[in-house]
Amino acid sequence: QVQLVQSGAEVKKPGASVKVSCKASGYTFTSYYMHWVRQAPGQGLEWMGIINPSGGSTSYAQKFQGRVTMTRDTSTSTVYMELSSLRSEDTAVYYCARDGYSSGWDWGQGTLVTVSS
Amino acid sequence: NFMLTQPHSVSESPGKTVTISCTGSSGSIASNYVQWYQQRPGSAPTTVIYEDNQRPSGVPDRFSGSIDSSSNSASLTISGLKTEDEADYYCQSYDSSNQGVFGGGTKLTVL
């Protein structure tokens, strides 16, 4: 079965960067795109971008252009999301989600990133 | 910018049927598939409807999705409500640039 296991919680200072990982198993890693979505405390879901694990191509939400970088390592079936120039408003749970096409999205368990001085 | 608008909250009694709407701000909501996600408190979202009206395996047939082009909206209908259905529900689609878009979410209370 599809499993997406994300890295653990992070605490960062304003201005720093954070890199969250999402290790995939149970399917052919390079055959399915991966989304990143975040959720601030008490708020709704926000789409950040998508990566094609096959060739590494990406598309980012305009709001995060210039601050977010999504990469992948096919040798370990892991995708990464790095967000730079962190501010308090970036405190959120970050999710990876596999786009299953004709089966819907499968979600990781989420990673809490706290930005605080 | 393309936006999806959902009611902030809905409530209904166990055993009844509830419908949650998701209205597109511009263009045709039928241009891209709509998905629906359920999120219980403290948990990650899960998919309950994909491609407008398809249910992933394991999702009961009490959940159904539809599109109404005349009102430019999508709907999630849950019949035979159970207390376990109490959760936040989000619709999701894509804009004309294939950027993902979420609705603001609807809190379903089953009382």
Side-chain angles (χ1 to χ4, degrees):
Chain A
Q1 73 285 17
V2 174
Q3 271 201 308
L4 302 173
V5 179
Q6 298 184 221
S7 48
E10 303 259 15
V11 179
K12 296 292 183 180
K13 293 194 181 304
S17 297
V18 68
K19 192 170 186 176
V20 179
S21 68
C22 169
K23 183 173 176 58
S25 61
Y27 69 97
T28 302
F29 176 69
T30 51
S31 295
Y32 296 87
Y33 285 55
M34 195 77 78
H35 301 268
W36 285 92
V37 175
R38 77 177 187 179
Q39 185 172 37
Q43 303 301 309
L45 301 173
E46 182 175 30
W47 188 82
M48 298 182 69
I50 188 171
I51 181 168
N52 178 358
S54 178
S57 61
T58 55
S59 176
Y60 303 138
Q62 193 169 3
K63 174 177 179 176
F64 300 103
Q65 290 272 5
R67 277 211 306 146
V68 70
T69 304
M70 297 176 188
T71 56
R72 93 292 189 216
D73 182 343
T74 57
S75 69
T76 60
S77 298
T78 301
V79 295
Y80 300 91
M81 186 285 300
E82 184 169 22
L83 189 62
S84 62
S85 302
L86 290 170
R87 35 206 187 233
S88 58
E89 310 89 89
D90 294 316
T91 294
V93 176
Y94 291 76
Y95 295 100
C96 60
R98 184 193 81 141
D99 193 326
Y101 307 122
S102 294
S103 63
W105 291 14
D106 300 290
W107 296 71
Q109 86 274 19
T111 297
L112 175 62
V113 174
T114 303
V115 183
S116 173
S117 55
Chain B
N1 282 1
F2 180 66
M3 295 195 309
L4 296 171
T5 300
Q6 300 180 232
H8 182 68
S9 63
V10 296
S11 62
E12 191 49 272
S13 303
K16 299 291 190 180
T17 297
V18 69
T19 297
I20 299 171
S21 63
C22 171
T23 303
S25 62
S26 61
S28 171
I29 199 165
S31 298
N32 289 291
Y33 284 128
V34 174
Q35 281 65 235
W36 290 90
Y37 306 104
Q38 176 192 69
Q39 186 178 35
R40 295 190 174 104
S43 296
T46 61
T47 302
V48 291
I49 293 290
Y50 67 95
E51 291 183 355
D52 295 342
N53 55 21
Q54 302 299 303
R55 277 178 289 106
S57 59
V59 173
D61 60 7
R62 301 185 297 105
F63 290 80
S64 62
S66 63
I67 298 291
D68 182 352
S69 296
S70 66
S71 60
N72 208 37
S73 65
S75 294
L76 171 69
T77 298
I78 310 171
S79 60
L81 275 170
K82 301 184 176 185
T83 55
E84 68 204 47
D85 298 330
E86 190 162 289
D88 293 328
Y89 291 86
Y90 295 90
C91 60
Q92 176 265 319
S93 188
Y94 299 91
D95 65 15
S96 57
S97 302
N98 279 329
Q99 303 259 297
V101 178
F102 284 95
T106 299
K107 180 178 180 60
L108 169 62
T109 301
V110 181
L111 37 63

CSV table of all heavy atoms in Angstrom, one decimal, chain B residues 16-76:
chain,number,residue,atom,x,y,z
B,16,LYS,N,-29.5,11.6,8.7
B,16,LYS,CA,-30.0,12.5,7.7
B,16,LYS,C,-29.0,12.6,6.5
B,16,LYS,O,-27.9,12.0,6.6
B,16,LYS,CB,-30.3,13.9,8.3
B,16,LYS,CG,-31.3,13.9,9.4
B,16,LYS,CD,-32.7,13.6,8.8
B,16,LYS,CE,-33.8,13.8,9.9
B,16,LYS,NZ,-35.1,13.6,9.3
B,17,THR,N,-29.3,13.5,5.6
B,17,THR,CA,-28.4,13.7,4.4
B,17,THR,C,-28.0,15.2,4.4
B,17,THR,O,-28.8,16.1,4.7
B,17,THR,CB,-29.2,13.4,3.1
B,17,THR,OG1,-29.5,12.0,3.0
B,17,THR,CG2,-28.3,13.8,1.9
B,18,VAL,N,-26.8,15.5,4.2
B,18,VAL,CA,-26.3,16.8,4.1
B,18,VAL,C,-25.5,17.0,2.8
B,18,VAL,O,-24.9,16.1,2.3
B,18,VAL,CB,-25.3,17.1,5.3
B,18,VAL,CG1,-24.0,16.4,5.2
B,18,VAL,CG2,-25.1,18.6,5.4
B,19,THR,N,-25.6,18.2,2.2
B,19,THR,CA,-24.9,18.6,1.0
B,19,THR,C,-24.0,19.8,1.3
B,19,THR,O,-24.5,20.8,1.8
B,19,THR,CB,-25.8,18.9,-0.1
B,19,THR,OG1,-26.6,17.7,-0.4
B,19,THR,CG2,-25.1,19.3,-1.4
B,20,ILE,N,-22.7,19.7,0.9
B,20,ILE,CA,-21.8,20.8,1.0
B,20,ILE,C,-21.5,21.3,-0.4
B,20,ILE,O,-21.1,20.5,-1.3
B,20,ILE,CB,-20.5,20.3,1.7
B,20,ILE,CG1,-20.8,19.8,3.2
B,20,ILE,CG2,-19.5,21.5,1.8
B,20,ILE,CD1,-19.7,19.2,3.9
B,21,SER,N,-21.6,22.6,-0.6
B,21,SER,CA,-21.4,23.2,-1.9
B,21,SER,C,-20.0,23.8,-2.0
B,21,SER,O,-19.3,24.1,-1.0
B,21,SER,CB,-22.4,24.3,-2.2
B,21,SER,OG,-22.3,25.3,-1.2
B,22,CYS,N,-19.5,23.9,-3.2
B,22,CYS,CA,-18.2,24.5,-3.5
B,22,CYS,C,-18.4,25.3,-4.9
B,22,CYS,O,-18.5,24.6,-5.9
B,22,CYS,CB,-17.2,23.3,-3.7
B,22,CYS,SG,-15.6,23.8,-4.3
B,23,THR,N,-18.4,26.6,-4.8
B,23,THR,CA,-18.7,27.4,-5.9
B,23,THR,C,-17.4,28.0,-6.5
B,23,THR,O,-16.7,28.7,-5.8
B,23,THR,CB,-19.7,28.5,-5.6
B,23,THR,OG1,-20.9,27.9,-5.0
B,23,THR,CG2,-20.1,29.3,-6.8
B,24,GLY,N,-17.3,27.9,-7.8
B,24,GLY,CA,-16.1,28.5,-8.5
B,24,GLY,C,-16.3,30.0,-8.8
B,24,GLY,O,-17.5,30.4,-9.1
B,25,SER,N,-15.3,30.8,-8.7
B,25,SER,CA,-15.4,32.2,-8.8
B,25,SER,C,-15.5,32.7,-10.3
B,25,SER,O,-16.0,33.7,-10.6
B,25,SER,CB,-14.2,32.9,-8.2
B,25,SER,OG,-13.0,32.5,-8.8
B,26,SER,N,-14.9,31.9,-11.2
B,26,SER,CA,-14.9,32.4,-12.6
B,26,SER,C,-14.7,31.1,-13.5
B,26,SER,O,-14.3,30.1,-13.0
B,26,SER,CB,-13.8,33.4,-12.8
B,26,SER,OG,-12.5,32.8,-12.5
B,27,GLY,N,-14.9,31.3,-14.8
B,27,GLY,CA,-14.7,30.2,-15.7
B,27,GLY,C,-15.7,29.1,-15.4
B,27,GLY,O,-16.7,29.4,-14.7
B,28,SER,N,-15.4,28.0,-15.9
B,28,SER,CA,-16.3,26.8,-15.7
B,28,SER,C,-15.7,25.8,-14.7
B,28,SER,O,-14.6,25.3,-15.0
B,28,SER,CB,-16.6,26.2,-17.0
B,28,SER,OG,-17.3,24.9,-16.8
B,29,ILE,N,-16.4,25.5,-13.6
B,29,ILE,CA,-15.9,24.6,-12.7
B,29,ILE,C,-15.8,23.2,-13.3
B,29,ILE,O,-15.0,22.4,-12.9
B,29,ILE,CB,-16.8,24.5,-11.4
B,29,ILE,CG1,-16.0,23.9,-10.3
B,29,ILE,CG2,-18.1,23.7,-11.7
B,29,ILE,CD1,-16.7,24.1,-8.9
B,30,ALA,N,-16.5,23.0,-14.4
B,30,ALA,CA,-16.4,21.7,-15.1
B,30,ALA,C,-15.1,21.6,-15.9
B,30,ALA,O,-14.8,20.5,-16.5
B,30,ALA,CB,-17.6,21.5,-16.0
B,31,SER,N,-14.3,22.6,-16.0
B,31,SER,CA,-13.1,22.6,-16.9
B,31,SER,C,-12.0,21.7,-16.2
B,31,SER,O,-11.2,21.2,-17.0
B,31,SER,CB,-12.5,24.0,-17.0
B,31,SER,OG,-13.4,24.8,-17.7
B,32,ASN,N,-12.0,21.6,-14.9
B,32,ASN,CA,-11.1,20.7,-14.2
B,32,ASN,C,-11.8,19.9,-13.2
B,32,ASN,O,-12.8,20.3,-12.6
B,32,ASN,CB,-10.0,21.6,-13.5
B,32,ASN,CG,-9.0,22.2,-14.5
B,32,ASN,OD1,-8.2,21.5,-15.2
B,32,ASN,ND2,-9.1,23.5,-14.6
B,33,TYR,N,-11.3,18.7,-12.9
B,33,TYR,CA,-11.9,17.8,-11.9
B,33,TYR,C,-11.9,18.5,-10.6
B,33,TYR,O,-11.0,19.3,-10.2
B,33,TYR,CB,-11.1,16.5,-11.9
B,33,TYR,CG,-11.4,15.6,-13.0
B,33,TYR,CD1,-10.4,15.0,-13.7
B,33,TYR,CD2,-12.8,15.2,-13.3
B,33,TYR,CE1,-10.7,14.1,-14.8
B,33,TYR,CE2,-13.0,14.4,-14.4
B,33,TYR,CZ,-12.0,13.8,-15.1
B,33,TYR,OH,-12.3,12.9,-16.1
B,34,VAL,N,-12.9,18.1,-9.8
B,34,VAL,CA,-13.0,18.6,-8.4
B,34,VAL,C,-12.8,17.4,-7.5
B,34,VAL,O,-13.3,16.3,-7.7
B,34,VAL,CB,-14.3,19.2,-8.1
B,34,VAL,CG1,-14.5,19.6,-6.6
B,34,VAL,CG2,-14.5,20.5,-8.9
B,35,GLN,N,-12.0,17.6,-6.4
B,35,GLN,CA,-11.8,16.5,-5.4
B,35,GLN,C,-12.3,17.0,-4.1
B,35,GLN,O,-12.5,18.3,-3.9
B,35,GLN,CB,-10.2,16.3,-5.2
B,35,GLN,CG,-9.6,15.4,-6.3
B,35,GLN,CD,-9.6,16.1,-7.7
B,35,GLN,OE1,-10.1,15.5,-8.6
B,35,GLN,NE2,-9.1,17.3,-7.8
B,36,TRP,N,-12.6,16.1,-3.2
B,36,TRP,CA,-13.1,16.4,-1.9
B,36,TRP,C,-12.2,15.7,-0.8
B,36,TRP,O,-12.0,14.5,-1.0
B,36,TRP,CB,-14.5,16.1,-1.7
B,36,TRP,CG,-15.5,16.9,-2.4
B,36,TRP,CD1,-16.0,16.8,-3.7
B,36,TRP,CD2,-16.1,18.1,-2.0
B,36,TRP,NE1,-16.8,17.8,-4.1
B,36,TRP,CE2,-16.9,18.6,-3.0
B,36,TRP,CE3,-16.1,18.9,-0.8
B,36,TRP,CZ2,-17.7,19.8,-2.9
B,36,TRP,CZ3,-16.8,20.0,-0.6
B,36,TRP,CH2,-17.6,20.5,-1.7
B,37,TYR,N,-11.8,16.4,0.2
B,37,TYR,CA,-11.0,15.8,1.3
B,37,TYR,C,-11.7,15.9,2.6
B,37,TYR,O,-12.3,17.0,2.9
B,37,TYR,CB,-9.6,16.4,1.3
B,37,TYR,CG,-8.9,16.4,0.0
B,37,TYR,CD1,-8.9,17.6,-0.8
B,37,TYR,CD2,-8.4,15.2,-0.5
B,37,TYR,CE1,-8.2,17.5,-2.1
B,37,TYR,CE2,-7.8,15.2,-1.8
B,37,TYR,CZ,-7.7,16.3,-2.5
B,37,TYR,OH,-7.2,16.3,-3.8
B,38,GLN,N,-11.6,14.9,3.4
B,38,GLN,CA,-12.1,14.9,4.8
B,38,GLN,C,-10.9,15.1,5.7
B,38,GLN,O,-9.9,14.4,5.5
B,38,GLN,CB,-12.8,13.6,5.1
B,38,GLN,CG,-13.3,13.5,6.5
B,38,GLN,CD,-13.8,12.0,6.8
B,38,GLN,OE1,-13.0,11.1,6.8
B,38,GLN,NE2,-15.1,11.8,7.0
B,39,GLN,N,-11.0,15.9,6.7
B,39,GLN,CA,-10.0,16.1,7.7
B,39,GLN,C,-10.6,16.1,9.1
B,39,GLN,O,-11.3,17.0,9.5
B,39,GLN,CB,-9.2,17.3,7.5
B,39,GLN,CG,-8.0,17.4,8.4
B,39,GLN,CD,-7.1,18.7,8.2
B,39,GLN,OE1,-7.6,19.7,7.8
B,39,GLN,NE2,-5.8,18.5,8.3
B,40,ARG,N,-10.3,15.0,9.8
B,40,ARG,CA,-10.7,15.0,11.2
B,40,ARG,C,-9.7,15.7,12.1
B,40,ARG,O,-8.5,15.8,11.7
B,40,ARG,CB,-10.9,13.5,11.7
B,40,ARG,CG,-12.0,12.8,11.0
B,40,ARG,CD,-12.3,11.4,11.6
B,40,ARG,NE,-13.4,10.7,11.0
B,40,ARG,CZ,-13.3,9.7,10.1
B,40,ARG,NH1,-12.1,9.3,9.8
B,40,ARG,NH2,-14.4,9.2,9.7
B,41,PRO,N,-10.1,16.2,13.3
B,41,PRO,CA,-9.2,17.0,14.1
B,41,PRO,C,-7.9,16.2,14.4
B,41,PRO,O,-8.0,15.0,14.8
B,41,PRO,CB,-10.1,17.2,15.4
B,41,PRO,CG,-11.5,17.2,14.9
B,41,PRO,CD,-11.5,16.1,13.8
B,42,GLY,N,-6.8,16.9,14.2
B,42,GLY,CA,-5.5,16.3,14.5
B,42,GLY,C,-5.0,15.3,13.5
B,42,GLY,O,-3.9,14.7,13.8
B,43,SER,N,-5.7,15.2,12.4
B,43,SER,CA,-5.3,14.2,11.4
B,43,SER,C,-5.0,14.8,10.1
B,43,SER,O,-5.5,15.9,9.8
B,43,SER,CB,-6.3,13.1,11.3
B,43,SER,OG,-6.5,12.4,12.5
B,44,ALA,N,-4.3,14.1,9.2
B,44,ALA,CA,-4.1,14.5,7.9
B,44,ALA,C,-5.4,14.3,7.1
B,44,ALA,O,-6.2,13.5,7.4
B,44,ALA,CB,-3.0,13.7,7.2
B,45,PRO,N,-5.5,15.1,6.0
B,45,PRO,CA,-6.7,14.9,5.1
B,45,PRO,C,-6.7,13.5,4.5
B,45,PRO,O,-5.6,12.9,4.3
B,45,PRO,CB,-6.5,16.0,4.1
B,45,PRO,CG,-5.6,17.0,4.7
B,45,PRO,CD,-4.7,16.2,5.6
B,46,THR,N,-7.9,13.1,4.1
B,46,THR,CA,-8.0,11.9,3.3
B,46,THR,C,-9.0,12.2,2.1
B,46,THR,O,-9.8,13.1,2.3
B,46,THR,CB,-8.5,10.7,4.0
B,46,THR,OG1,-9.8,11.0,4.6
B,46,THR,CG2,-7.6,10.3,5.2
B,47,THR,N,-8.8,11.5,1.0
B,47,THR,CA,-9.6,11.8,-0.2
B,47,THR,C,-10.9,11.0,0.0
B,47,THR,O,-10.9,9.8,0.2
B,47,THR,CB,-8.9,11.3,-1.4
B,47,THR,OG1,-7.7,12.0,-1.6
B,47,THR,CG2,-9.8,11.6,-2.7
B,48,VAL,N,-12.1,11.7,-0.2
B,48,VAL,CA,-13.3,11.0,-0.2
B,48,VAL,C,-14.0,11.0,-1.6
B,48,VAL,O,-14.8,10.1,-1.9
B,48,VAL,CB,-14.3,11.6,0.9
B,48,VAL,CG1,-13.9,11.3,2.3
B,48,VAL,CG2,-14.5,13.1,0.7
B,49,ILE,N,-13.7,12.0,-2.4
B,49,ILE,CA,-14.1,12.0,-3.8
B,49,ILE,C,-13.0,12.5,-4.6
B,49,ILE,O,-12.3,13.5,-4.3
B,49,ILE,CB,-15.4,12.9,-3.9
B,49,ILE,CG1,-16.6,12.4,-3.2
B,49,ILE,CG2,-15.7,13.2,-5.4
B,49,ILE,CD1,-17.2,11.1,-3.8
B,50,TYR,N,-12.8,11.9,-5.8
B,50,TYR,CA,-11.9,12.5,-6.8
B,50,TYR,C,-12.5,12.5,-8.2
B,50,TYR,O,-13.5,11.8,-8.4
B,50,TYR,CB,-10.6,11.6,-6.8
B,50,TYR,CG,-10.7,10.2,-7.3
B,50,TYR,CD1,-10.5,9.9,-8.6
B,50,TYR,CD2,-11.1,9.2,-6.4
B,50,TYR,CE1,-10.6,8.6,-9.1
B,50,TYR,CE2,-11.2,7.9,-6.9
B,50,TYR,CZ,-11.0,7.6,-8.2
B,50,TYR,OH,-11.1,6.3,-8.7
B,51,GLU,N,-12.0,13.2,-9.1
B,51,GLU,CA,-12.6,13.4,-10.4
B,51,GLU,C,-14.1,13.6,-10.4
B,51,GLU,O,-14.8,12.9,-11.0
B,51,GLU,CB,-12.2,12.1,-11.2
B,51,GLU,CG,-10.7,12.1,-11.5
B,51,GLU,CD,-10.3,10.9,-12.4
B,51,GLU,OE1,-11.2,10.1,-12.7
B,51,GLU,OE2,-9.1,10.8,-12.8
B,52,ASP,N,-14.5,14.6,-9.6
B,52,ASP,CA,-15.9,15.0,-9.5
B,52,ASP,C,-16.8,14.1,-8.7
B,52,ASP,O,-17.6,14.5,-7.9
B,52,ASP,CB,-16.5,15.2,-10.9
B,52,ASP,CG,-15.9,16.3,-11.7
B,52,ASP,OD1,-15.1,17.2,-11.1
B,52,ASP,OD2,-16.1,16.4,-12.9
B,53,ASN,N,-16.7,12.8,-9.0
B,53,ASN,CA,-17.7,11.9,-8.4
B,53,ASN,C,-17.2,10.5,-8.2
B,53,ASN,O,-18.1,9.6,-8.0
B,53,ASN,CB,-19.0,11.8,-9.4
B,53,ASN,CG,-18.6,11.5,-10.8
B,53,ASN,OD1,-17.5,10.9,-11.0
B,53,ASN,ND2,-19.4,11.8,-11.7
B,54,GLN,N,-15.9,10.3,-8.2
B,54,GLN,CA,-15.4,8.9,-8.0
B,54,GLN,C,-15.0,8.7,-6.5
B,54,GLN,O,-14.4,9.6,-5.9
B,54,GLN,CB,-14.2,8.7,-8.9
B,54,GLN,CG,-14.5,8.8,-10.4
B,54,GLN,CD,-15.5,7.9,-10.8
B,54,GLN,OE1,-15.4,6.6,-10.7
B,54,GLN,NE2,-16.6,8.4,-11.4
B,55,ARG,N,-15.3,7.6,-6.0
B,55,ARG,CA,-14.9,7.3,-4.6
B,55,ARG,C,-13.7,6.4,-4.6
B,55,ARG,O,-13.7,5.3,-5.2
B,55,ARG,CB,-16.1,6.6,-3.9
B,55,ARG,CG,-17.1,7.5,-3.3
B,55,ARG,CD,-18.2,6.7,-2.7
B,55,ARG,NE,-19.1,6.0,-3.6
B,55,ARG,CZ,-19.0,4.7,-3.8
B,55,ARG,NH1,-18.2,4.0,-3.1
B,55,ARG,NH2,-19.8,4.2,-4.7
B,56,PRO,N,-12.7,6.7,-3.8
B,56,PRO,CA,-11.5,5.8,-3.6
B,56,PRO,C,-12.1,4.5,-2.9
B,56,PRO,O,-13.1,4.5,-2.2
B,56,PRO,CB,-10.6,6.5,-2.7
B,56,PRO,CG,-11.0,8.0,-2.8
B,56,PRO,CD,-12.5,8.0,-3.0
B,57,SER,N,-11.3,3.4,-3.1
B,57,SER,CA,-11.7,2.2,-2.4
B,57,SER,C,-11.7,2.4,-0.9
B,57,SER,O,-10.8,3.1,-0.4
B,57,SER,CB,-10.8,1.0,-2.8
B,57,SER,OG,-9.4,1.4,-2.5
B,58,GLY,N,-12.7,1.9,-0.2
B,58,GLY,CA,-12.7,2.1,1.2
B,58,GLY,C,-13.6,3.2,1.7
B,58,GLY,O,-14.0,3.2,2.9
B,59,VAL,N,-14.0,4.1,0.8
B,59,VAL,CA,-14.9,5.2,1.1
B,59,VAL,C,-16.3,4.7,0.9
B,59,VAL,O,-16.6,4.2,-0.2
B,59,VAL,CB,-14.6,6.4,0.3
B,59,VAL,CG1,-15.7,7.5,0.5
B,59,VAL,CG2,-13.2,7.0,0.6
B,60,PRO,N,-17.2,4.8,1.9
B,60,PRO,CA,-18.5,4.2,1.8
B,60,PRO,C,-19.3,5.0,0.7
B,60,PRO,O,-19.1,6.2,0.4
B,60,PRO,CB,-19.1,4.4,3.2
B,60,PRO,CG,-18.3,5.3,3.9
B,60,PRO,CD,-16.9,5.3,3.3
B,61,ASP,N,-20.3,4.2,0.1
B,61,ASP,CA,-21.1,4.9,-0.9
B,61,ASP,C,-22.1,5.9,-0.4
B,61,ASP,O,-22.9,6.4,-1.1
B,61,ASP,CB,-21.8,3.8,-1.8
B,61,ASP,CG,-22.7,2.9,-1.0
B,61,ASP,OD1,-22.9,3.2,0.2
B,61,ASP,OD2,-23.2,1.9,-1.5
B,62,ARG,N,-22.1,6.1,0.9
B,62,ARG,CA,-22.8,7.2,1.5
B,62,ARG,C,-22.3,8.6,1.0
B,62,ARG,O,-23.0,9.6,1.1
B,62,ARG,CB,-22.8,7.2,3.0
B,62,ARG,CG,-23.3,5.9,3.6
B,62,ARG,CD,-23.4,6.0,5.1
B,62,ARG,NE,-22.1,6.1,5.8
B,62,ARG,CZ,-21.6,7.2,6.3
B,62,ARG,NH1,-22.4,8.3,6.3
B,62,ARG,NH2,-20.4,7.3,6.9
B,63,PHE,N,-21.1,8.6,0.5
B,63,PHE,CA,-20.4,9.8,0.0
B,63,PHE,C,-20.6,9.8,-1.5
B,63,PHE,O,-20.2,8.9,-2.2
B,63,PHE,CB,-18.9,9.8,0.4
B,63,PHE,CG,-18.7,10.0,1.8
B,63,PHE,CD1,-18.8,8.9,2.7
B,63,PHE,CD2,-18.3,11.3,2.3
B,63,PHE,CE1,-18.5,9.1,4.1
B,63,PHE,CE2,-18.0,11.4,3.7
B,63,PHE,CZ,-18.1,10.4,4.6
B,64,SER,N,-21.0,11.0,-2.0
B,64,SER,CA,-21.1,11.1,-3.4
B,64,SER,C,-20.8,12.6,-3.8
B,64,SER,O,-21.0,13.5,-3.0
B,64,SER,CB,-22.5,10.8,-4.0
B,64,SER,OG,-23.5,11.6,-3.4
B,65,GLY,N,-20.3,12.7,-5.1
B,65,GLY,CA,-20.0,14.1,-5.6
B,65,GLY,C,-20.7,14.4,-6.9
B,65,GLY,O,-21.0,13.4,-7.6
B,66,SER,N,-20.9,15.6,-7.1
B,66,SER,CA,-21.5,16.0,-8.4
B,66,SER,C,-21.1,17.4,-8.8
B,66,SER,O,-20.5,18.2,-8.0
B,66,SER,CB,-23.1,16.0,-8.2
B,66,SER,OG,-23.5,16.9,-7.3
B,67,ILE,N,-21.4,17.7,-10.1
B,67,ILE,CA,-21.1,19.0,-10.6
B,67,ILE,C,-22.4,19.6,-11.2
B,67,ILE,O,-23.1,18.9,-11.9
B,67,ILE,CB,-20.0,18.9,-11.7
B,67,ILE,CG1,-18.7,18.4,-11.2
B,67,ILE,CG2,-19.8,20.3,-12.4
B,67,ILE,CD1,-18.0,19.3,-10.3
B,68,ASP,N,-22.6,20.9,-10.9
B,68,ASP,CA,-23.7,21.6,-11.5
B,68,ASP,C,-23.2,22.8,-12.3
B,68,ASP,O,-22.8,23.8,-11.7
B,68,ASP,CB,-24.7,22.1,-10.4
B,68,ASP,CG,-25.9,22.8,-11.0
B,68,ASP,OD1,-26.0,23.0,-12.2
B,68,ASP,OD2,-26.8,23.1,-10.2
B,69,SER,N,-23.1,22.7,-13.6
B,69,SER,CA,-22.5,23.7,-14.4
B,69,SER,C,-23.4,25.0,-14.4
B,69,SER,O,-22.8,26.1,-14.5
B,69,SER,CB,-22.4,23.2,-15.9
B,69,SER,OG,-21.5,22.1,-16.0
B,70,SER,N,-24.7,24.8,-14.2
B,70,SER,CA,-25.6,26.0,-14.2
B,70,SER,C,-25.2,27.0,-13.1
B,70,SER,O,-25.4,28.2,-13.2
B,70,SER,CB,-27.0,25.6,-14.2
B,70,SER,OG,-27.3,25.0,-13.0
B,71,SER,N,-24.8,26.4,-12.0
B,71,SER,CA,-24.4,27.3,-10.8
B,71,SER,C,-22.9,27.3,-10.6
B,71,SER,O,-22.5,27.9,-9.6
B,71,SER,CB,-25.1,26.7,-9.5
B,71,SER,OG,-24.7,25.4,-9.3
B,72,ASN,N,-22.2,26.7,-11.5
B,72,ASN,CA,-20.7,26.7,-11.5
B,72,ASN,C,-20.3,26.2,-10.1
B,72,ASN,O,-19.4,26.7,-9.5
B,72,ASN,CB,-20.1,28.1,-11.7
B,72,ASN,CG,-18.7,28.0,-12.3
B,72,ASN,OD1,-18.5,27.1,-13.1
B,72,ASN,ND2,-17.8,28.8,-11.9
B,73,SER,N,-20.9,25.1,-9.7
B,73,SER,CA,-20.5,24.6,-8.4
B,73,SER,C,-20.4,23.1,-8.4
B,73,SER,O,-21.0,22.4,-9.2
B,73,SER,CB,-21.6,25.0,-7.3
B,73,SER,OG,-22.8,24.5,-7.6
B,74,ALA,N,-19.7,22.6,-7.4
B,74,ALA,CA,-19.6,21.2,-7.1
B,74,ALA,C,-20.2,20.9,-5.7
B,74,ALA,O,-20.4,21.8,-4.9
B,74,ALA,CB,-18.1,20.8,-7.0
B,75,SER,N,-20.7,19.7,-5.5
B,75,SER,CA,-21.3,19.4,-4.3
B,75,SER,C,-20.8,18.0,-3.8
B,75,SER,O,-20.6,17.1,-4.5
B,75,SER,CB,-22.8,19.3,-4.4
B,75,SER,OG,-23.4,20.6,-4.7
B,76,LEU,N,-20.7,18.0,-2.4
B,76,LEU,CA,-20.4,16.7,-1.7
B,76,LEU,C,-21.7,16.4,-0.9
B,76,LEU,O,-22.1,17.2,-0.1
B,76,LEU,CB,-19.2,16.8,-0.8
B,76,LEU,CG,-19.0,15.6,0.1
B,76,LEU,CD1,-18.5,14.4,-0.7
B,76,LEU,CD2,-17.9,16.0,1.2
